[in-house]
Amino acid sequence: MVAVDIWSIALTAFLATLATFGRVALTIVLGIVLGWFLGYAAAKSGLFERVFLSITQTLEAVPVITFFPIVLIFFVKSIGGYIGTELAVDFLVFTAVVWNIWVGEYEAIKTAPQSLEDAAEMLNLGFWGRFRYLYIPVTMPRVAGNVLVSFADALFYIVVSEVITLGTTQYSVFGIGALIAAWTSRGDWTAAFIGLSTLVVMVTAILFGVLRPFVNWAVKYSYDPLMEVARTRVRRPIITSRVRTLAARNMRYLRRVIAIEDAIMPVFVRASSYAVRHRLLVRPRPRNILTKTERYMGMGILILILVLIAYSIYNSWQTTWDPIMIDLYKHGLLYLYYLGLDWLRVALVTITSILTAIPINYLMVTHRRVEAILLPILEDLASIPVSAYLPLIAIPFTTYLAIILGIHASLELLVFLVAYLSTAWYVIYNMYVGMKTIPRSLWDVAENLKLGTWQKLRRLAIPGAMPATITGLASTVGSTWGGLEVAEYIQGLNGQVYMVHGFTALMDYYTAIGNMVGLEAMSLILGINVILLSIFLWRRLFRLARERYRLEGAITL
Amino acid sequence: MAPTGTGKTTLLRIIAGLRKPDTGKVLLMGEEVRGPTPKLAMIFQDFALFPWLTALENVELALMHRKDLSKEVRREIARKYLELVGLGGFEDYYPRELSGGMKQRVAIARALAAQPVVLLMDEPFANLDAITAEGLRAEIYNMVFNEESTVKAIIMVSHNLEEVVELSDKVIILGGRPANIIAEVEIKLPRPRNTRDIEFQDYLDRLYSLLSISLKT
Ligand SMILES: Nc1ncnc2c1ncn2[C@@H]1O[C@H](COP(=O)(O)OP(=O)(O)OP(=O)(O)O)[C@@H](O)[C@H]1O
Ligand SMILES: [Mg+2]
């Protein structure tokens, strides 16, 4: 009886995971296809390029999830029912994954070798021919570089967005996230565990069965002769005559390790390292020059977009516009305080991630065996969304640790842990790529000068890893926000609600009690915050990473 | 020939119809060239092979615009041109699996397959090692000007004096900014030419001094 039960649970979990993966695949594929045309248009028209860049750069670093309640209300109101919820979920995932894919495609098309474009033109390939033989293939390595991260991101967001409570109404779609949530809130731990295991197994299967082969295939056709850089390793001068026999034995062992390593290892790394290096290294052609009329048209379009957005906001909020202002007047300071608290958490998590990433990466880059063991594990961990196993980690924090530390400290710790777990992998990866692509000659010089570990870290490893780390920061901060969102407010565990003081917690709370006025007021604040940040922080940081830290010729062979 | 940055590539791209000149026009057999045409084929310094296509597919690309040919016929023609440049048997190799000289041969086959009247070459040997370049130079004349070929002339850009004297009938030296014609030199040596001939050396000296002048302008 029990056995049958387990199998039917497993089957349900399997089907639900398929549904969830279907959503992810659909949004990613749609994003990729749309990106070809948008990227092409942006690379060819100066006007479109400006608009495209300012929009994607702003949205790339947005914690989209925080706007989800608003999006959901919009879709449910205007379309309604299950389809409305389904579309809202798909839309959310879409906005979570497309930006970096689109930027990648644009940059790949923009930096396509001039001679190849000339050749395509001379061969009279026509519009579709040029797409088929040139523009789509050049984007492939960048798409591959982003698709793994997008897959992980999409899973993270989809698992939390499949079920949401708005006031007294619960909206949910069929999927593994909704199932696990339902099981945990019922206290059905066996089923939840089976569901989670199914998810883990299937994530691993997709990773090894679909994504790795795709990345391997895509990267092989890259125009970049440096592609193999990720495989070059630090060679350590160990062979003296005295240890020659020992070395021979070691070599045999090493060869075995390398064989395994090459078979299962760093696709993620190779792909993302390609993406990061492409971003940092390939000197982009200058933006297309705008004529005067185009410049005026550009400004016109931008103003038009702003007016349209403002109008639609005003329109959807018309009835509640005054209450929102009143709400802001009454609680504005509290919102800002909470926003500050969350940014403090984000800063702490980011710094901790960087601090833990440094020794891990240094070990991996200098010790091949550590690398061979750790990297595949990290890669798989990165793809399993924290949001799915959150209830499981939450248990000790709400029971045992809550008694020892007090509930506040315990929950705070939980939030930190979850945010860290949703951030750390990406920081580690970005930094790994940076350290790994430091040229071997520089390591040799360091060896030659007999620099100690600390000196090598300070003079070589950390500065070498900087550009890649900084370039990845905007999106890792986005992931941190995602982690905060799911952990600051936990509903339905042991039939209780656990929350800390924080911006996303309050938004979740407002969502749960159906306080639309407060929710919209908070979204407004967050929106302004995001735009300011994009203008004053991320763009500058990107430019800094690109220009100041760009080690001209240093990240080559 | 011209010092680097003078605008040789730019001129070649204008001739090919890839770029519009501000003034003046390009005439080919009395007709103005308004855009890329199969009558003009270009060979690039970096070979410009599509890395995701095999050697054969790269050559086939040149025949894509010929809607009158079936896929099989296109494939046969492409194969023939690969054989002509001495790459029979390498049809299914990807560019990254070929050596520099072989890549340039594929590029030549692709250009010839379009059946052009004029071949444009932008420093075609610059990315090859000296020995490979020498071998290819010796062969290219027969590859391009055989009875089956439609090519009537080659316009080649080069930095290499020896290469220029070995291959050209007429050398035009550009200089200044914007570029002007500094000198025109006809090379009246019988083929095949021997680099060790005294006359050959004389031409080298002459071109060398002309280039020095062009550098000063
Ligand atoms: N007559 C011209 N009108 C406008 N731009 C020009 C002209 N000549 C050269 N340029 C510009 O100067 C730059 C260098 O030109 P180009 O690449 O054609 O030089 P090159 O002689 O091929 O140099 P190299 O020997 O390095 O290949 C290009 O950016 C090109 O646009
Ligand atoms: Mg040139």
Side-chain angles (χ1 to χ4, degrees):
Chain A
M1 209 36 218
V2 173
V4 172
D5 217 39
I6 285 177
W7 284 116
S8 74
I9 289 171
L11 182 67
T12 320
F14 174 73
L15 290 178
T17 313
L18 274 191
T20 302
F21 282 5
R23 279 183 199 111
V24 172
L26 194 81
T27 45
I28 289 181
V29 169
L30 189 70
I32 291 172
V33 172
L34 270 178
W36 284 326
F37 296 99
L38 292 173
Y40 175 79
K44 297 298 157 197
S45 141
L47 185 58
F48 192 76
E49 186 174 38
R50 304 297 145 97
V51 177
F52 175 86
L53 281 181
S54 42
I55 290 178
T56 47
Q57 282 176 350
T58 309
L59 293 180
E60 206 185 357
V62 179
V64 201
I65 186 149
T66 32
F67 294 103
F68 185 50
I70 303 287
V71 173
L72 181 78
I73 291 160
F74 172 79
F75 275 95
V76 170
K77 252 194 196 165
S78 53
I79 301 170
Y82 189 88
I83 295 181
T85 318
E86 175 70 56
L87 283 179
V89 170
D90 297 340
F91 179 79
L92 176 88
V93 176
F94 187 75
T95 53
V97 300
V98 291
W99 310 116
N100 61 344
I101 292 181
W102 284 3
V103 169
E105 288 178 321
Y106 154 76
E107 284 178 354
I109 292 176
K110 183 83 184 178
T111 54
Q114 175 76 57
S115 64
L116 278 191
E117 286 201 295
D118 283 354
E121 188 114 2
M122 300 249 22
L123 297 169
N124 287 296
L125 290 181
F127 181 75
W128 292 113
R130 265 181 292 156
F131 257 86
R132 181 166 159 210
Y133 292 109
L134 179 59
Y135 294 123
I136 291 180
V138 289
T139 62
M140 274 306 163
R142 287 295 301 267
V143 167
N146 284 322
V147 90
L148 284 153
V149 175
S150 287
F151 177 69
D153 265 359
L155 273 187
F156 182 95
Y157 287 115
I158 208 162
V159 163
V160 281
S161 61
E162 277 175 352
V163 54
I164 191 155
T165 315
L166 245 180
T168 49
T169 332
Q170 188 173 36
Y171 299 94
S172 76
V173 291
F174 180 66
I176 190 69
L179 266 188
I180 291 182
W183 282 328
T184 44
S185 71
R186 244 192 285 139
D188 194 347
W189 295 110
T190 323
F193 189 74
I194 294 174
L196 187 61
S197 313
T198 313
L199 181 64
V200 170
V201 169
M202 285 176 71
V203 164
T204 312
I206 292 278
L207 216 62
F208 283 84
V210 180
L211 293 178
R212 276 167 184 275
F214 170 66
V215 169
N216 272 329
W217 168 84
V219 160
K220 216 160 62 178
Y221 296 117
S222 115
Y223 197 72
D224 180 5
L226 305 177
M227 195 45 238
E228 291 301 307
V229 165
R231 284 155 160 259
T232 59
R233 296 188 174 85
V234 187
R235 201 167 37 196
R236 314 177 68 225
I238 43 159
I239 301 178
T240 64
S241 60
R242 202 163 54 82
V243 290
R244 193 159 278 163
T245 44
L246 193 70
R249 208 168 59 223
N250 269 334
M251 280 309 286
R252 265 202 307 280
Y253 174 72
L254 262 183
R255 251 187 233 126
R256 251 201 339 266
V257 173
I258 296 163
I260 301 168
E261 182 187 18
D262 279 345
I264 64 166
M265 225 204 19
V267 233
F268 206 142
V269 176
R270 253 159 82 199
S272 51
S273 91
Y274 178 81
V276 172
R277 265 181 322 108
H278 188 261
R279 237 184 155 159
L280 289 173
L281 273 184
V282 176
R283 189 178 284 282
R285 282 188 232 153
R287 306 225 171 134
N288 298 316
I289 298 159
L290 293 182
T291 62
K292 252 214 179 88
T293 42
E294 276 181 326
R295 199 165 299 153
Y296 290 132
M297 261 168 68
M299 272 191 247
I301 290 177
L302 223 60
I303 290 171
L304 192 74
I305 291 177
L306 283 180
V307 167
L308 268 177
I309 291 175
Y311 177 76
S312 60
I313 289 174
Y314 178 72
N315 217 16
S316 67
W317 290 359
Q318 221 166 25
T319 48
T320 53
W321 188 243
D322 286 344
I324 284 176
M325 283 299 132
I326 293 168
D327 188 76
L328 275 180
Y329 183 73
K330 270 201 289 194
H331 305 303
L333 276 181
L334 180 74
Y335 296 158
L336 286 181
Y337 169 63
Y338 276 0
L339 191 65
L341 273 186
D342 272 4
W343 274 115
L344 193 64
R345 291 190 177 107
V346 169
L348 275 179
V349 168
T350 307
I351 291 169
T352 313
S353 301
I354 291 177
L355 288 184
T356 44
I358 291 172
I360 292 177
N361 279 316
Y362 186 76
L363 266 181
M364 287 206 292
V365 170
T366 49
H367 293 81
R368 198 184 268 191
R369 275 167 60 188
V370 177
E371 184 184 39
I373 294 164
L374 220 50
L375 216 51
I377 298 177
L378 288 175
E379 187 168 316
D380 210 38
L381 281 180
S383 309
I384 298 165
V386 195
S387 45
Y389 59 88
L390 170 68
L392 294 181
I393 355 177
I395 298 169
F397 285 92
T398 54
T399 53
Y400 177 66
L401 281 172
I403 294 167
I404 297 180
L405 299 170
I407 186 75
H408 282 297
S410 168
L411 284 183
E412 203 59 62
L413 215 59
L414 173 66
V415 169
F416 181 82
L417 182 69
V418 171
Y420 174 80
L421 286 179
S422 50
T423 311
W425 320 123
Y426 303 122
V427 175
I428 290 177
Y429 262 125
N430 290 332
M431 193 184 278
Y432 175 82
V433 170
M435 266 194 215
K436 197 70 187 176
T437 44
I438 295 172
R440 193 190 298 165
S441 59
L442 289 187
W443 288 104
D444 286 350
V445 168
E447 208 70 52
N448 207 248
L449 298 175
K450 298 237 174 303
L451 296 185
T453 304
W454 168 240
Q455 287 295 334
K456 270 193 273 187
L457 265 172
R458 218 185 102 195
R459 310 265 174 213
L460 185 58
I462 296 176
M466 270 334 258
T469 314
I470 289 179
T471 319
L473 224 49
S475 61
T476 59
V477 165
S479 311
T480 316
W481 272 95
L484 291 183
E485 154 84 26
V486 297
E488 283 190 1
Y489 183 93
I490 301 173
Q491 198 176 17
L493 196 69
N494 313 330
Q496 295 244 16
V497 169
Y498 297 97
M499 65 184 286
V500 297
H501 294 282
F503 197 81
T504 68
L506 190 60
M507 281 186 91
D508 284 345
Y509 175 67
Y510 278 172
T511 312
I513 62 168
N515 178 357
M516 294 317 299
V517 174
L519 199 55
E520 285 174 353
M522 292 186 83
S523 301
L524 194 67
I525 288 188
L526 196 62
I528 293 169
N529 169 46
V530 158
I531 291 172
L532 289 182
L533 217 61
S534 147
I535 295 172
F536 291 110
L537 183 61
W538 300 128
R539 289 195 206 188
R540 288 183 185 199
L541 221 52
F542 286 157
R543 211 171 312 139
L544 187 78
R546 260 169 198 247
E547 283 162 19
R548 176 98 175 276
Y549 282 107
R550 174 138 115 190
L551 313 171
E552 204 71 65
I555 317 185
T556 62
L557 287 167
Chain B
M1 301 192 80
T4 171
T6 310
K8 303 182 295 289
T9 302
T10 308
L11 181 61
L12 221 49
R13 293 187 72 231
I14 289 174
I15 296 174
L18 291 168
R19 200 180 158 158
K20 296 258 171 303
D22 291 337
T23 56
K25 54 188 172 184
V26 180
L27 293 180
L28 175 63
M29 301 188 296
E31 269 178 56
E32 186 179 351
V33 177
R34 287 170 197 277
T37 146
K39 286 186 195 143
L40 293 161
M42 181 115 128
I43 290 172
F44 298 85
Q45 184 176 345
D46 64 352
F47 321 129
L49 297 180
F50 293 78
W52 35 84
L53 301 179
T54 62
L56 188 68
E57 287 167 336
N58 262 293
V59 180
E60 262 185 87
L61 269 194
L63 304 160
M64 281 301 165
H65 69 280
R66 300 267 305 270
K67 296 280 179 277
D68 53 316
L69 300 178
S70 73
K71 202 173 162 59
E72 287 73 41
V73 178
R74 282 207 292 260
R75 184 143 293 189
E76 259 334 291
I77 300 178
R79 210 181 290 275
K80 196 186 78 189
Y81 279 103
L82 270 185
E83 253 156 45
L84 180 77
V85 298
L87 282 183
F90 289 94
E91 287 86 352
D92 295 329
Y93 282 58
Y94 284 95
R96 77 196 120 82
E97 298 164 330
L98 299 171
S99 70
M102 289 156 103
K103 281 185 211 165
Q104 194 55 295
R105 279 169 201 263
V106 176
I108 293 168
R110 184 173 72 184
L112 292 180
Q115 306 202 301
V117 182
V118 177
L119 207 55
L120 308 169
M121 306 205 288
D122 191 2
E123 305 189 39
F125 308 110
N127 267 340
L128 305 175
D129 63 274
I131 293 172
T132 311
E134 210 178 297
L136 201 55
R137 275 207 304 264
E139 278 183 66
I140 195 164
Y141 195 87
N142 291 332
M143 274 185 215
V144 175
F145 297 111
N146 57 24
E147 12 0 307
E148 284 195 54
S149 166
T150 51
V151 179
K152 298 278 178 276
I154 297 179
I155 302 177
M156 179 176 79
V157 164
S158 178
H159 274 137
N160 184 327
L161 289 172
E162 228 173 68
E163 175 177 306
V164 165
V165 178
E166 185 180 339
L167 290 173
S168 328
D169 298 312
K170 189 200 268 184
V171 184
I172 297 174
I173 293 160
L174 303 177
R177 200 164 253 284
N180 275 310
I181 296 181
I182 304 268
E184 273 187 62
V185 179
E186 300 227 8
I187 302 200
K188 293 178 181 136
L189 290 175
R191 289 171 198 276
R193 294 170 180 168
N194 187 346
T195 47
R196 265 173 290 249
D197 277 355
I198 304 224
E199 275 182 290
F200 196 102
Q201 296 295 331
D202 284 347
Y203 274 115
L204 282 187
D205 289 343
R206 237 176 102 197
L207 287 182
Y208 189 82
S209 54
L210 283 170
L211 256 186
S212 317
I213 297 170
S214 133
L215 263 174
K216 281 179 207 124
T217 54

